[in-house]
Amino acid sequence: MSRLQNGETFPSLTVPAVGGGTIALPGALAGSYGVVLVYRGAWCPYCQAQLAGFQRAAEKLAATGIKVVAFSVDDEATSAGTIARHKLSFPVGHSADADAVAEALGAYTNAEPHYLQTTGFLLDPEGRVVNAVYSSGPIGRLVAEDVIGMVDYLKSKG
């Protein structure tokens, strides 16, 4: 398994979406800067804080032209509870296959119970990796304010 490098095209990945349908990446983010948040699960307070932080920044993210998606191995009911708890307005996927996602993205996994460790990506409008954050444990993750600052900087160069 190899980690994604800056400039690489984000691989095709599809996860079930809460409420029906699927989230097909990177297509769901095409034409905008995009953030992909792979989170450990509803039980992880760090993950919940990250999701809530991206929701608090939703207006600023949208104004900057950044779309967000998130997913975990949690089942649909648990993921729906996360959406409700934080009033998430961005798409959230559920029931991700930890091994398939780890193989595609290079994400770390936990053996028992089996779940994905926190992994985050900032993608450019063409679906290429601008920044990847891999964590092997509960801490170390993308922060909404940093993402907004980086996209503002990239646009100013552009």
Side-chain angles (χ1 to χ4, degrees):
M1 148 185 22
S2 62
R3 313 271 179 254
L4 297 179
Q5 302 299 310
N6 291 351
E8 283 186 56
T9 299
F10 194 84
S12 294
L13 184 66
T14 302
V15 296
V18 172
T22 59
I23 300 170
L25 296 168
L29 304 170
S32 298
Y33 281 92
V35 172
V36 179
L37 302 173
V38 181
Y39 67 100
R40 299 168 83 212
W43 54 269
C44 174
Y46 298 102
C47 298
Q48 297 304 297
Q50 180 190 38
L51 295 172
F54 271 86
Q55 182 57 46
R56 282 191 305 276
E59 284 183 31
K60 207 165 183 190
L61 287 159
T64 309
I66 303 168
K67 294 180 181 177
V68 177
V69 300
F71 65 87
S72 74
V73 301
D74 285 348
D75 63 23
E76 186 171 19
T78 303
S79 299
T82 296
I83 291 170
R85 184 177 318 109
H86 301 295
K87 299 178 176 55
L88 301 180
S89 58
F90 48 84
V92 176
H94 65 89
S95 306
D97 179 322
D99 294 324
V101 172
E103 181 65 30
L105 305 182
Y108 291 98
T109 59
N110 188 72
E112 189 57 43
H114 197 48
Y115 59 82
L116 291 153
Q117 295 287 5
T118 298
T119 312
F121 301 92
L122 172 60
L123 308 181
D124 72 11
E126 288 76 43
R128 293 182 300 250
V129 176
V130 174
N131 197 73
V133 178
Y134 290 92
S135 180
S136 60
I139 59 173
R141 60 194 65 239
L142 286 176
V143 175
E145 293 77 13
D146 292 345
V147 168
I148 293 165
M150 185 166 191
V151 170
D152 280 340
Y153 171 76
L154 292 170
K155 287 181 171 183
S156 75
K157 291 182 61 170

